[in-house]
Amino acid sequence: MSSKAKPFIPLEEGKRRELMPSLKEIRLASIRRPVSQAIGTLLIVGFLIFIVGPLVVLLTWAFAKEWFYPALIPQAWTWSWWRIVLTTSHLGHSILLSFIFAPVVTTLSALICLPAAYAFARYSFPGRRWFMVSLFAANAFPKMGLYMSMAGLLFAFNLMGTFWGVVIVQLISTLVIMTWIPSAAFRSVPRELEEAARDVGARPWQVFWRVTLPIAWPGILVGLILGFLASLDEAQGTFLVGIPNYITMPVQMYTLVGHYPQQAAAVFAIILTLPSVILLLLVRRYIVGGTLAAGFRIR
Amino acid sequence: MRQKPWVGLLMSSGPMIVMIVFIGLPIVLAVAYSLGDVLGLNRAIAAVAQHQVIVKHGLTLKVYRDLWANAGIRADIGATLWVTVVAVAVVLVIAYAVSLYLRFNHNRLAKVLSAIYLIPLFIPVVIASYALVTFWNAGGFVDALMAHLGSQGFPGLSYTLTGVVIAQVWVNLPFAILMLSSGLTAVPDSLIEASRDVGSTFLRSIVRIVLPLNILPTVIVLTFTGIGILGSFTIPYLMGPTAPQMLGVATTTYYQAFNEPQQAQALAVLTFVLAAGIGVIYVWANVQANRREGIS
Amino acid sequence: MATVELRGLTLRIQQKAIVQKLNLTIPSGKMFALLGPSGGGKTTTLRLIGGFLRPSEGQVLIDGEDVTQLTPERRPTSMVFQQYALWPHMTVWQNVVYGLVLRKLPKAEMEERVHEALTMVGLTGYERAYPAQLSGGQQQRVALARSLVLQPKVLLLDEPLSNLDAKLRLRVREEIREIQQRVGITTVLVTHDQDEALSIADQVAVLADGQIQQVGTPDVLYDHPRNQFVANFVGTMNWFAGRKDHNGVMISGRMIPVEMSLPVSLTQQELVIGVRPEDVLLTDDTRDPEARVSRIVSRGHFQEVVLTSTIGDIHVFTTYRKTYEAPIHFRFARCHLFTPEGEAVVERSNAAVNALNFRGNGVVVQ
């Protein structure tokens, strides 16, 4: 690199090339037209079919009376599988059980995790970041191995095959979600807003209740709903700990897949999916808005 | 940060205690058991198990050596790694394509796309696997469609490792797209415009400007998807072949079908070690990002 | 060096015209300012010139060549963005050299050019720094160097000073002007700060509601605003409703003498009268209307006196500082006349002033 400063412009003509497009290049460029748009559109449509296709087929099965290969739509339609599934008592019982466990687990998880989420966001204490990472690391251990070892523990506490045993098994699948996502939400509340509230005379708990909580609420809600769904969808641990007393919907689903007609499984699958769809539609805009993504950053 | 460390410690103790008792302790027990320790809380599980390796003093790697000597297990490990690597790669490619499309297009197709891509997040994994099996199966919908288009002899992808990859991709895409989109939105338009202004094409601006600024979301997708797939059970159980199995399925088979919990635990520990390897990348990327942003 | 020409440039977004039928010629080698309130369409115009937006109608021509359909990388323009848009993952050196790397220049030449550009903006020694380690002013220089290193035909500056503090702003604007004159590059500057536009631009276009209100040199805009909007936006004005009278203006039934002669043609027509604060003369002449001093504000280089009179409050700038004993008297040195619709009253015969005005459609109050 030369150290002496030179005049920037004018340049010695001819020594240096023109860096900006010349008039000729401009003329040539004007003629070109983008062609990639069509290919992009095609790929995206393919992606949409890849995502939606299996679900549409599943939905169709729930109303199919006869559907033989290679027809693309059923030959005959019926509603009867819905009646059969809803009136088979042990299936109905599973649905009820699932909706008892999920709220209990979610509430318990919220009570345990939300204070921690706030602490991770607002307090500095030794091992804070280590705690967050270990929470994540613990979650990386395969669930099956965990449940096997836990079995010993639950035997020791006399929790095998009990209601609270199932609650504990489902609870541990919600820990990370319930801590990380609300924690990011608490952290995103601007400190000045809390300070401004203190400034006009609010007590600390009033600040939390009237300022912090309302602003962090979307993130907390996303955490609650994902926790609820994690509990609702947990099958492996519930199966190991809960049988034979507590067969929830997803556990039942494993049996249905092999042992019932396609249509019954399809109907049951739709019933199991409905709460997820409804709950997630409620918080969709928060999820898309980055609330979920923010939760996966360690600070 | 508030300077009341004890309050913070106390508030965060809830999940910590649950984690230490119901996750941390079982992990330690699992590792110890797989190394030959059958005492203490491992006694209950060891009481009914078959083919156990028991040591009175110290620990042994015999369980692992025996497993490694088993060609079937080696194939399972290979299959697990293959599915994980391929599925993560496919997820990253598709998720980047979709998020870039969403980032730079505001037409009607993009609106439909942004409404649709989240759907798999709404679907319980059991249901998703079931729906995908039905869809890709021989005699299933894709098969029928191919037959209509004049291509006979579609092999059916259910009960193959390819089928497992397809299902893993389907299930993991929403999270990946969500993370990458969110990261891409954070890159200001002006940085891309400035790049084009100095003569870079659109594609080149993406490679040189946008991707380097989106490393952390990429690593998060890579690690979380990777770890999730590595330890997955439901998808390979319902969609995968009988052999080779993914480790998550093999673990369950050893425990429930063979009644060999010690070998099952050893497989779980093995999976965990692989996952931890991926996890290190995640923690490292976070540390780097925090350092760059000046957070100590 | 190049001229930029806009022909009937229109951009509509969802039927709403952001800019509307702009016709403008930006002369070669000059500093040209687009001045206006936010939302007036000035940044949009700049982005249309840079190729970041495609117009709904009309053309952009650079040196007579139509570039309307070209993407930014194909245009001989370069932009300095409002937030500088430096790439945070690249050092100062990498930021500046990026455009040259794309053009595959020999290494030695790249180094020479980058060094020159950094020398010109006074940033040698910062090559290895990352943007986050620099102050706002330094970041701004990097952005300028990044543009200049490519020797664009047209330099586009989008509110280049709005993110700097007041003191730095004055210095940087002198530097920008100095560099522009040295390089002799055609430059388009977008600003909402009239002071900035008037002090460094050769020519200024005032934009509001997506339309050009007036184009001219800073002096023409200040002395002969074409309409009430320009008069109000460029500098300050005292506003009154009234009529032209014999040797002055009639406001609220009071005759106020005006020293400069007013257009002859106007008779008892309702007018809007604008008077610059420095055109209000404070006198001891008891024939002039009376007023009381209600407030005196020291403005540093001058003094602002607020008068209360029967025609309303009047703001006056005076260069000398003193206190006044009520009552005092005032008259106007000159005033600007507008129709109730806000258009400047033009005396057709005054060809000299028409020539001064860029669009040939100016004010005459002389």
Side-chain angles (χ1 to χ4, degrees):
Chain A
M1 188 166 60
S2 74
S3 58
K4 59 181 192 298
K6 291 179 183 175
F8 185 71
I9 274 177
L11 299 161
E12 295 169 48
E13 288 299 324
K15 184 195 161 196
R16 290 180 154 175
R17 70 204 77 191
E18 182 60 58
L19 294 177
M20 281 291 164
S22 69
L23 294 183
K24 191 179 161 215
E25 283 169 321
I26 290 174
R27 261 175 237 129
L28 281 175
S30 312
I31 301 164
R32 290 181 203 154
R33 286 283 176 273
V35 284
S36 54
Q37 194 68 27
I39 301 169
T41 306
L42 213 65
L43 287 175
I44 294 299
V45 170
F47 169 81
L48 293 180
I49 293 171
F50 173 74
I51 294 292
V52 177
L55 299 174
V56 173
V57 170
L58 183 73
L59 197 65
T60 314
W61 265 114
F63 302 98
K65 192 172 180 191
E66 289 172 10
W67 192 357
F68 298 113
Y69 179 85
L72 290 180
I73 50 167
Q75 283 91 353
W77 303 82
T78 178
W79 274 97
S80 58
W81 291 103
W82 288 82
R83 192 167 37 82
I84 293 168
V85 168
L86 291 173
T87 52
T88 308
S89 72
H90 67 276
L91 295 183
H93 184 66
S94 297
I95 298 173
L96 185 69
L97 261 184
S98 276
F99 284 98
I100 292 172
F101 275 117
V104 170
V105 171
T106 311
T107 311
L108 194 63
S109 180
L111 288 177
I112 294 171
C113 294
L114 291 184
Y118 185 78
F120 283 139
R122 283 292 193 248
Y123 290 92
S124 167
F125 52 89
R128 187 183 71 94
R129 205 168 291 156
W130 187 88
F131 274 3
M132 292 193 78
V133 173
S134 62
L135 210 55
F136 154 71
N139 226 41
F141 197 86
K143 283 282 161 356
M144 196 62 207
L146 212 55
Y147 299 144
M148 277 186 275
S149 294
M150 261 178 70
L153 217 58
L154 293 177
F155 269 125
F157 292 145
N158 243 337
L159 286 168
M160 225 34 191
T162 65
F163 182 84
W164 292 106
V166 174
V167 168
I168 287 170
V169 163
Q170 296 192 353
L171 179 71
I172 61 173
S173 331
T174 66
L175 284 185
V176 174
I177 295 169
M178 280 289 214
T179 311
W180 280 19
I181 296 170
S183 179
F186 282 129
R187 197 181 303 113
S188 72
V189 178
R191 196 61 66 91
E192 305 86 70
L193 295 186
E194 293 180 350
E195 283 162 357
R198 288 301 296 275
D199 200 45
V200 297
R203 311 291 311 155
W205 68 267
Q206 285 175 315
V207 173
F208 178 81
W209 194 249
R210 305 296 290 272
V211 178
T212 315
L213 200 63
I215 300 176
W217 179 242
I220 297 169
L221 191 66
V222 169
L224 285 174
I225 286 185
L226 289 181
F228 184 87
L229 294 179
S231 151
L232 197 65
D233 297 344
E234 211 293 322
Q236 244 185 320
T238 310
F239 173 75
L240 282 175
V241 176
I243 51 163
N245 305 329
Y246 299 102
I247 312 277
T248 57
M249 276 203 289
V251 176
Q252 194 69 255
M253 188 67 203
Y254 278 94
T255 354
L256 281 173
V257 171
H259 303 93
Y260 275 70
Q262 187 103 326
Q263 288 91 327
V267 168
F268 201 70
I270 290 166
I271 296 173
L272 179 48
T273 309
L274 273 180
S276 308
V277 173
I278 292 166
L279 286 174
L280 279 167
L281 280 179
L282 287 180
V283 288
R284 190 183 166 276
R285 66 197 165 103
Y286 300 135
I287 292 179
V288 176
T291 311
L292 182 60
F296 285 85
R297 172 93 196 258
I298 302 175
R299 284 184 206 266
Chain B
M1 290 291 160
R2 283 184 198 166
Q3 294 304 319
K4 279 185 234 155
W6 288 109
V7 180
L9 207 59
L10 194 73
M11 286 172 82
S12 64
S13 60
M16 283 307 131
I17 290 169
V18 175
M19 190 198 82
I20 290 166
V21 174
F22 292 105
I23 303 180
L25 186 59
I27 290 176
V28 174
L29 287 176
V31 173
Y33 184 39
S34 74
L35 293 172
D37 175 57
V38 293
L39 301 173
L41 284 166
N42 278 327
R43 203 167 299 192
I45 198 172
V48 290
Q50 294 182 344
H51 303 120
Q52 287 189 96
V53 174
I54 301 167
V55 287
K56 289 280 183 290
H57 302 289
L59 302 167
T60 173
L61 282 171
K62 185 170 186 316
V63 179
Y64 291 93
R65 275 200 303 273
D66 290 349
L67 284 174
W68 184 250
N70 182 338
I73 290 292
R74 286 206 301 274
D76 289 351
I77 294 172
T80 306
L81 291 176
W82 184 83
V83 167
T84 306
V85 170
V86 174
V88 167
V90 175
V91 164
L92 264 186
V93 169
I94 297 180
Y96 252 117
V98 172
S99 357
L100 284 170
Y101 189 90
L102 285 173
R103 172 71 176 76
F104 295 106
N105 286 282
H106 305 284
N107 53 28
R108 189 167 301 160
L109 186 63
K111 281 209 183 74
V112 174
L113 184 62
S114 67
I116 298 281
Y117 84 80
L118 265 185
I119 288 179
L121 194 70
F122 297 16
I123 312 292
V125 184
V126 196
I127 311 298
S129 311
Y130 176 66
L132 287 160
V133 168
T134 327
F135 191 68
W136 291 97
N137 208 352
F141 189 82
V142 176
D143 192 355
L145 194 66
M146 297 292 250
H148 276 274
L149 295 174
S151 154
Q152 294 294 332
F154 174 73
L157 293 176
S158 299
Y159 318 118
T160 66
L161 288 182
T162 314
V164 175
V165 169
I166 289 178
Q168 301 281 16
V169 169
W170 195 90
V171 166
N172 284 293
L173 270 175
F175 175 73
I177 297 173
L178 203 61
M179 287 307 301
L180 296 182
S181 288
S182 162
L184 290 180
T185 317
V187 178
D189 276 341
S190 62
L191 293 189
I192 302 157
E193 287 177 346
S195 163
R196 301 195 69 185
D197 194 48
V198 300
S200 165
T201 59
F202 178 70
L203 266 178
R204 197 163 173 148
S205 304
I206 298 295
V207 175
R208 288 297 306 276
I209 307 295
V210 178
L211 298 192
L213 291 174
N214 207 30
I215 286 178
L216 187 61
T218 310
V219 171
I220 291 175
V221 167
L222 200 113
T223 49
F224 276 76
T225 312
I227 289 171
I229 295 176
L230 210 54
S232 63
F233 167 76
T234 307
I235 290 174
Y237 176 71
L238 292 175
M239 188 98 179
T242 339
Q245 295 173 327
M246 284 186 71
L247 286 176
V249 182
T251 306
T252 311
T253 312
Y254 267 82
Y255 180 43
Q256 290 180 330
F258 303 163
N259 192 19
E260 293 181 0
Q262 197 179 29
Q263 284 73 5
Q265 278 304 22
L267 290 175
V269 171
L270 190 66
T271 315
F272 182 59
V273 169
L274 294 174
I278 304 178
V280 168
I281 306 174
Y282 167 71
V283 173
W284 173 82
N286 268 289
V287 170
Q288 290 293 312
N290 285 342
R291 186 172 300 163
R292 201 167 45 236
E293 289 172 22
I295 305 165
S296 63
Chain C
M1 270 181 273
T3 57
V4 178
E5 202 185 331
L6 310 182
R7 282 190 194 156
L9 205 60
T10 302
L11 179 73
R12 275 184 296 267
I13 295 174
Q14 290 161 353
Q15 268 96 60
K16 192 181 176 295
I18 311 295
V19 296
Q20 212 170 349
K21 298 208 170 73
L22 292 192
N23 287 299
L24 204 59
T25 302
I26 296 165
S28 183
K30 298 287 193 223
M31 174 79 91
F32 191 97
L34 296 171
L35 173 68
S38 53
K42 50 194 194 313
T43 295
T44 305
T45 308
L46 196 75
R47 291 170 62 80
L48 284 163
I49 298 173
F52 302 107
L53 291 170
R54 295 263 168 102
S56 315
E57 284 160 32
Q59 292 164 299
V60 179
L61 288 88
I62 294 174
D63 267 351
E65 200 64 47
D66 187 352
V67 298
T68 316
Q69 296 303 319
L70 300 188
T71 50
E73 70 266 23
R74 299 188 180 283
R75 295 193 186 198
T77 57
S78 190
M79 176 124 136
V80 174
F81 290 80
Q82 186 172 9
Q83 315 282 349
Y84 317 135
L86 298 178
W87 304 302
H89 60 302
M90 296 186 187
T91 60
V92 168
W93 181 272
Q94 287 166 332
N95 263 282
V96 178
V97 84
Y98 180 64
L100 301 177
V101 172
L102 290 169
R103 288 168 175 77
K104 300 192 174 64
L105 260 58
K107 202 156 187 287
E109 192 185 331
M110 284 200 290
E111 290 191 348
E112 200 181 324
R113 280 174 182 261
V114 174
H115 185 71
E116 277 177 12
L118 288 177
T119 307
M120 180 159 57
V121 298
L123 265 185
T124 43
Y126 288 92
E127 287 86 354
R128 286 158 178 275
Y130 281 93
Q133 298 166 322
L134 300 180
S135 69
Q138 289 169 326
Q139 290 184 20
Q140 216 256 358
R141 287 152 201 252
V142 178
L144 195 60
R146 184 173 70 182
S147 286
L148 288 174
V149 79
L150 299 169
Q151 297 161 7
K153 289 189 163 60
V154 182
L155 182 66
L156 308 173
L157 306 173
D158 187 5
E159 300 265 10
L161 307 174
S162 62
N163 288 316
L164 304 177
D165 61 53
K167 192 108 190 178
L168 197 58
R169 199 176 300 168
L170 287 181
R171 211 179 79 204
V172 173
R173 101 181 170 197
E174 292 312 315
E175 282 174 7
I176 288 179
R177 176 58 163 167
E178 199 263 327
I179 291 172
Q180 186 269 333
Q181 295 207 311
R182 184 142 51 97
V183 180
I185 183 173
T186 311
T187 302
V188 187
L189 165 84
V190 158
T191 179
H192 64 271
D193 180 353
Q194 46 120 352
D195 196 35
E196 192 177 310
L198 297 187
S199 57
I200 64 172
D202 296 305
Q203 275 192 6
V204 180
V206 179
L207 254 82
D209 303 325
Q211 287 174 312
I212 292 179
Q213 304 297 317
Q214 188 173 3
V215 184
T217 62
D219 288 346
V220 166
L221 291 185
Y222 192 82
D223 294 336
H224 309 286
R226 216 183 103 206
N227 58 33
Q228 223 181 322
F229 179 84
V230 175
N232 213 13
F233 196 77
V234 179
T236 49
M237 279 279 189
N238 294 294
W239 293 104
F240 308 100
R243 289 197 304 274
K244 180 192 165 264
D245 200 56
H246 206 54
N247 282 321
V249 286
M250 184 70 83
I251 300 167
S252 306
R254 290 266 357 201
M255 216 290 284
I256 295 128
V258 177
E259 292 190 342
M260 279 186 179
S261 63
L262 296 170
V264 191
S265 57
L266 302 164
T267 44
Q268 299 297 311
Q269 194 182 333
E270 289 294 330
L271 293 171
V272 176
I273 299 161
V275 183
R276 298 264 183 223
E278 66 270 26
D279 289 338
V280 182
L281 304 176
L282 302 179
T283 67
D284 299 326
D285 192 335
T286 49
R287 284 170 300 177
D288 289 338
E290 205 180 87
R292 280 187 311 107
V293 174
S294 67
R295 205 146 46 90
I296 296 178
V297 184
S298 176
R299 298 280 220 102
H301 301 291
F302 60 91
Q303 193 175 47
E304 181 176 355
V305 180
V306 184
L307 303 179
T308 308
S309 75
T310 51
I311 63 167
D313 280 2
I314 307 169
H315 292 253
V316 186
F317 294 165
T318 59
T319 45
Y320 37 57
R321 296 179 192 191
K322 62 176 200 179
T323 50
Y324 298 89
E325 277 149 38
I328 60 160
H329 303 270
F330 68 95
R331 59 167 61 190
F332 298 151
R334 49 180 244 160
C335 63
H336 303 262
L337 302 182
F338 301 88
T339 64
E341 291 76 39
E343 292 298 308
V345 173
V346 182
E347 189 170 51
R348 311 258 170 239
S349 63
N350 202 329
V353 174
N354 279 347
L356 261 177
N357 230 299
F358 210 72
R359 303 285 300 276
N361 196 4
V363 189
V364 178
V365 190
Q366 285 197 322

